[in-house]
């Protein structure tokens, strides 16, 4: 019969001692608390690192430092493409708005282009070089006493009827003689003459230098039309030879409204492109 050695321990005793962290020497085992503390510190460090990672992800400088070179170049190209697309879109919107306004004005006025720039001072002081003039078809917005079916009120009729435009009586018309080289003329219609008419007696002598019809250009009238003059000019257009009596088919529109200085943009563009503005009136060509 074998006896147990005195150094042997029962399983129950060994489990009990080590479960309580006490060894044979009676010293408490502190490994358990140390492990718990290390685990807690590890959790704090992990959470801190995660927080730093999140902050770095939102930092463009740190992100650019961590990204490969080709990724940064791709980002630059992407920004350039986006900028180009934005510029193109804004330009397209601006063009659409301008075209829409132009179409609306055309629908109202019946004339294209619906605005013209004043190129000289012949209509001063009511119109100056660089002013932008809103134009309409002559038969629109005119009174019933306009001359026949032209829509033009002459200065003579306007004086008796009290019809004024741009500081004077009668209509200011834009006309373009077929033989003229250059931009259309914007002057006031003074009176109407018939084919072969001696209009010297009807004219205002202040606007003539001739002493009779035989000394006056375009007299007798080579054809029916309006006698016109710039407000700032000394003589009639027909007396100076600028044009013959203005036929109805030469008239491109009637001036309605003035916008000061805005026409300079059009004049600059016309000068740069060497293009003279020409009016087109619906129904007249």
């Amino acid at each position: 019969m074998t006896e147990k050695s005195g150094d042997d321990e029962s399983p129950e005793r060994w489990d009990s001692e080590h479960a309580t962290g006490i060894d044979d020497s009676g010293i408490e085992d502190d490994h358990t608390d140390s492990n718990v503390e290390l685990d807690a510190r590890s959790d704090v460090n992990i959470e801190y690192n995660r927080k730093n990672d999140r902050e770095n992800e939102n930092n463009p400088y740190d992100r650019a430092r961590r990204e490969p070179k080709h990724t940064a170049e791709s980002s630059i190209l992407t920004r350039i493409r986006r900028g180009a697309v934005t510029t193109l879109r804004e330009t397209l919107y601006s063009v659409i708005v301008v075209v829409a306004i132009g179409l609306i004005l055309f629908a109202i006025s019946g004339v294209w282009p619906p605005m013209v720039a004043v190129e000289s001072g012949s209509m001063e002081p009511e119109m100056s070089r660089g002013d932008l003039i809103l134009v309409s078809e002559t038969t629109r917005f005119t009174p019933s006493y306009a001359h026949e079916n032209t829509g033009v009120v002459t200065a003579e009729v306007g004086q008796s009827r009290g019809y004024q435009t741009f500081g004077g009586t009668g209509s200011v018309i834009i006309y373009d003689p077929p033989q003229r080289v250059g931009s259309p003329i914007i002057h006031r219609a003074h009176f109407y003459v018939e084919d072969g008419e001696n209009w010297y007696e009807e004219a205002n002598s202040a606007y003539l230098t001739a002493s009779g019809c035989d000394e006056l250009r375009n007299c007798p009238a080579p054809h029916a039309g309006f006698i016109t003059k710039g407000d700032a000019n000394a003589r009639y257009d027909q007396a100076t030879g600028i044009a013959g009596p203005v036929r109805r088919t030469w008239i491109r529109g009637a001036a309605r409204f003035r916008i000061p200085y805005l026409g300079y943009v059009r004049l600059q563009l016309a000068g740069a492109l060497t293009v003279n503005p020409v009016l087109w009136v619906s129904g007249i060509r």
Side-chain angles (χ1 to χ4, degrees), residues 5-235:
S5 171
D7 295 335
D8 295 337
E9 298 178 350
S10 65
E12 294 80 0
R13 180 182 176 187
W14 189 90
D15 292 338
S16 175
E17 290 178 352
H18 286 275
T20 57
I22 301 176
D23 58 11
D24 292 342
S25 62
I27 299 175
E28 184 177 356
D29 187 2
D30 60 352
H31 292 296
T32 302
D33 292 340
S34 298
N35 291 336
V36 171
E37 184 177 353
L38 289 173
D39 291 341
R41 290 179 179 176
S42 297
D43 292 340
V44 171
N45 289 336
I46 291 172
E47 182 61 29
Y48 178 77
N49 291 334
R50 288 176 178 172
K51 182 178 179 182
N52 284 343
D53 290 340
R54 288 193 298 269
E55 292 177 352
N56 290 336
E57 287 178 357
N58 296 326
N59 189 328
Y61 299 101
D62 185 77
R63 185 167 61 251
R65 189 169 56 252
R66 288 186 287 106
E67 289 179 347
K69 183 178 180 180
H70 70 275
T71 304
E73 292 176 352
S74 300
S75 178
I76 293 174
L77 292 175
T78 299
R79 287 196 294 271
I80 292 174
R81 284 196 297 269
R82 288 177 179 174
V85 170
T86 301
T87 302
L88 181 61
R89 183 171 60 247
E90 291 177 353
T91 302
L92 182 61
Y93 288 160
S94 299
V95 171
I96 291 173
V97 170
V98 171
V99 171
I101 293 174
L103 292 175
I104 292 172
L105 290 176
F106 173 68
I108 295 173
S109 67
V111 174
W112 187 264
M115 290 180 288
V116 296
V118 178
E119 298 185 12
S120 72
S122 64
M123 284 295 292
E124 291 181 347
E126 296 302 324
M127 293 183 186
S128 301
R129 188 178 189 278
D131 289 349
L132 194 66
I133 306 299
L134 179 63
V135 180
S136 80
E137 194 174 11
T138 55
T139 55
R140 300 192 183 194
F141 318 115
T142 54
S144 59
Y145 48 81
H147 182 77
E148 297 181 354
N149 60 346
T150 63
V152 178
V153 179
T154 63
E156 288 182 344
V157 175
Q159 186 172 7
S160 62
R161 295 278 190 165
Y163 180 82
Q164 291 192 333
T165 59
F166 296 95
T169 59
S171 300
V172 176
I173 60 174
I174 297 91
Y175 69 93
D176 189 21
Q179 73 278 7
R180 178 176 172 77
V181 177
S183 303
I185 300 168
I186 179 168
H187 284 172
R188 194 179 303 275
H190 279 252
F191 56 94
Y192 189 85
V193 297
E194 299 293 343
D195 183 17
E197 180 181 342
N198 179 349
W199 55 274
Y200 176 82
E201 299 297 334
E202 189 177 355
N204 187 334
S205 60
Y207 304 144
L208 298 173
T209 56
S211 58
C213 183
D214 56 342
E215 298 178 6
L216 181 61
R217 289 186 181 183
N218 293 295
C219 187
H223 53 259
F226 293 97
I227 303 299
T228 57
K229 189 182 85 69
D231 288 358
N233 290 350
R235 292 187 291 165

